[in-house]
Amino acid sequence: MFAVTFSDGQMEELLHIPEPWYIDQIRFELELKQLDVYVKFRKDAMFTCSDCGAPYQPVKDIADRDRTWRHLNFFEYPCYIHAELPRTHCGKCNRIMRVNVPWALDKPKHYFTLYFDALIIKLAKDMPMNAVSRLLGEHDTRLWRILHHYVDNAIAAQDLSHVTKISTDETSAKRGHNYITIFMDPEQKNVIYVTKGRDSGTWAECKNQLEAHGGKADHITEVCMDMSPAFIKGAEANFPKAAITFDKFHVIQAANEAVDEVRRRERKSSAILKDTRYLWLKNPDNLTDSQKETMAKLKDCDLDTAKAYRMRLILQEIYRYPASIAPAVLQDWIQWGLRCRLAPMVEVAKMLQKHYDGVIQWFKSKLNNGLLEGINSLFQAAKRKARGYRTEKNIIAMVYVLAGKLNFALK
């Protein structure tokens, strides 16, 4: 066995209590199952004015005799710091102000130390907030308040002056027609703005956010999105100098959905298509051995589904072509699609014809929403685990926490 003893100064270092504050006493009560640390300030202490920042201001009186903050656990036991809060009468600004303690935020209804705040942010990235609440024995309303404070401050400190390209996509926030739109800088792989809705007005909000943080709408040269009319309208109105790239993943997704629609229609008259849905949604390289055997048999059948599937594979292959010939090959595919007599594939061809310039812009910009799709998957998984986030404010905060690359300064 061995014993470890700590001096007062070492305990103050461990609990991050700097001069002129010091630990007056420490109490551990087994019945309460908590550690209480009582902190005082030295009689001759001078403090910085919390309003104007003037140093060396004397204490006038005590504003709060017993303010309490929860700190990181001491082993498995909750730890609380207690302190008197003095006030200074500033000789520079002539204001009487309560002193800011160095271990916690100076905010009303904030009862946690900076290190406890940091723990909440860390846990929120990996756990639902209701689970964090149960783990720490704190009401989740208090924990959400911590998270919102740091997210809001980090967003306010964002520098977006370097942004020249924007990718965007919407994702489901709640059941029903409730969506949020995420705007991202594809070069820095950083979320720059999140807002509720998916209409053209979201682009005006993104522009305002960009310009409020050092960016300029006229500096945006490329935007990437799906073919939503609202998105097109919003992008053209707010970023008129930006070339629009239509995300290739949405193009292939539309073709996939068309193949599936052809299959569903043909399934009514072709029993051999039973239980083959996922066969047609995969690329040949991703098929299992048994699926490859099934596909080999179906290829020899005169199926509209097989024809639609080949069309989808060829459309996908066009994205591998050099930029010098891909636009012409795409035009040939569009004409093939318009003549193919498979109504869902005809609709895809019409869509590509209508948005041709934005589709071929990909061969210049190479922009896509693959990273946004990944963020969407990450957010949806977190949302399912949390069984919802109750409010849109919480939803938006979690997107920033999971993918915003924000600087959560502990101050």
Side-chain angles (χ1 to χ4, degrees):
M1 295 180 63
F2 63 92
V4 178
T5 59
F6 295 98
S7 67
D8 290 344
Q10 287 174 323
M11 285 300 295
E12 285 154 9
E13 285 187 28
L14 286 172
L15 294 170
H16 311 285
I17 308 295
E19 287 286 346
W21 303 89
Y22 67 95
I23 295 175
D24 182 56
Q25 59 179 308
I26 298 175
R27 297 178 186 170
F28 176 73
E29 297 186 32
L30 190 58
E31 292 181 0
L32 295 177
K33 294 184 178 180
Q34 70 182 48
L35 183 76
D36 292 287
V37 180
Y38 293 87
V39 175
K40 290 187 176 181
F41 58 91
R42 304 195 187 280
K43 289 184 178 180
D44 57 351
M46 306 284 276
F47 292 96
T48 299
C49 174
S50 57
D51 181 53
C52 70
Y56 309 116
Q57 301 304 315
V59 173
K60 178 182 184 297
D61 55 21
I62 302 299
D64 193 333
R65 290 286 175 184
D66 186 18
R67 181 71 182 272
T68 303
W69 300 264
R70 181 168 177 184
H71 193 47
L72 298 176
N73 283 7
F74 181 78
F75 294 103
E76 72 268 34
Y77 300 106
C79 175
Y80 296 91
I81 295 177
H82 306 262
E84 293 180 339
L85 289 185
R87 294 195 303 173
T88 59
H89 188 175
C90 181
K92 182 177 180 180
C93 66
N94 200 33
R95 295 196 65 187
I96 298 173
M97 299 297 297
R98 188 175 61 189
V99 168
N100 294 339
V101 297
W103 57 81
L105 293 174
D106 181 37
K107 278 176 60 65
K109 298 182 179 181
H110 194 83
Y111 307 100
F112 307 103
T113 66
L114 297 174
Y115 283 87
F116 193 89
D117 291 351
L119 176 65
I120 298 306
I121 295 170
K122 173 62 177 175
L123 292 177
K125 291 181 178 181
D126 300 312
M127 298 172 61
M129 194 63 85
N130 53 11
V132 177
S133 173
R134 291 192 300 271
L135 176 68
L136 299 175
E138 295 287 348
H139 197 284
D140 68 342
T141 299
R142 283 185 166 188
L143 304 185
W144 277 116
R145 192 181 295 132
I146 292 172
L147 199 67
H148 286 304
H149 169 82
Y150 286 102
V151 168
D152 291 346
N153 278 14
I155 292 171
Q158 271 188 315
D159 177 12
L160 302 180
S161 60
H162 60 276
V163 179
T164 59
K165 299 176 182 179
I166 295 175
S167 296
T168 189
D169 200 6
E170 78 273 3
T171 188
S172 171
K174 298 180 182 179
R175 289 183 179 179
H177 299 287
N178 292 287
Y179 293 87
I180 57 172
T181 298
I182 304 172
F183 294 90
M184 189 167 194
D185 174 6
E187 294 186 315
Q188 297 294 320
K189 298 180 173 59
N190 184 42
V191 173
I192 60 175
Y193 188 60
V194 187
T195 185
K196 63 180 181 180
R198 55 173 180 174
D199 56 19
S200 60
T202 60
W203 285 86
E205 294 178 39
C206 177
K207 176 185 176 181
N208 292 338
Q209 178 75 2
L210 180 73
E211 296 190 331
H213 293 268
K216 291 185 180 296
D218 287 349
H219 290 175
I220 304 301
T221 59
E222 302 275 357
V223 294
C224 181
M225 67 183 82
D226 62 24
M227 297 177 190
S228 160
F231 275 11
I232 295 170
K233 178 182 176 182
E236 290 177 343
N238 293 282
F239 299 99
K241 293 186 178 180
I244 294 176
T245 296
F246 291 122
D247 177 37
K248 73 172 185 177
F249 293 110
H250 282 85
V251 172
I252 302 305
Q253 181 184 35
N256 251 334
E257 290 171 355
V259 172
D260 194 48
E261 178 61 24
V262 172
R263 179 199 60 80
R264 281 191 282 120
R265 294 182 184 187
E266 194 172 24
R267 167 68 181 84
K268 297 174 184 178
S269 58
S270 298
I272 60 174
L273 287 173
K274 183 180 179 181
D275 299 326
T276 64
R277 180 188 179 195
Y278 294 104
L279 185 74
W280 306 107
L281 297 179
K282 286 186 175 183
N283 290 327
D285 292 343
N286 297 328
L287 295 174
T288 65
D289 290 340
S290 61
Q291 287 174 332
K292 288 178 181 177
E293 291 179 12
T294 304
M295 179 64 81
K297 295 175 184 177
L298 293 174
K299 280 196 310 181
D300 297 331
C301 302
D302 187 19
L303 292 170
D304 287 344
T305 305
K307 179 180 178 181
Y309 180 68
R310 288 193 297 273
M311 292 180 72
R312 193 267 286 178
L313 292 179
I314 292 171
L315 176 60
Q316 189 170 293
E317 189 64 23
I318 292 173
Y319 280 97
R320 300 176 183 270
Y321 281 39
S324 57
I325 62 172
V329 177
L330 181 63
Q331 280 285 16
D332 290 342
W333 191 98
I334 291 171
Q335 296 306 313
W336 180 26
L338 292 173
R339 299 192 305 269
C340 72
R341 298 183 181 180
L342 302 175
M345 300 306 292
V346 171
E347 290 304 311
V348 173
K350 288 180 178 178
M351 177 191 74
L352 295 177
Q353 188 176 51
K354 180 179 180 180
H355 300 294
Y356 179 77
D357 290 342
V359 175
I360 64 169
Q361 181 64 25
W362 180 87
F363 295 96
K364 296 179 181 178
S365 70
K366 300 295 183 180
L367 286 179
N368 64 68
N369 282 352
L371 191 58
L372 272 167
E373 295 292 341
I375 291 171
N376 184 11
S377 298
L378 187 67
F379 169 70
Q380 292 299 332
K383 186 181 74 173
R384 285 192 297 272
K385 189 185 295 184
R387 298 181 182 177
Y389 288 115
R390 291 210 304 267
T391 70
E392 286 172 336
K393 185 177 181 181
N394 290 350
I395 290 166
I396 290 171
M398 283 309 305
V399 173
Y400 278 113
V401 168
L402 293 170
K405 292 186 178 179
L406 297 177
N407 178 21
F408 295 110
L410 292 177
K411 61 181 181 177

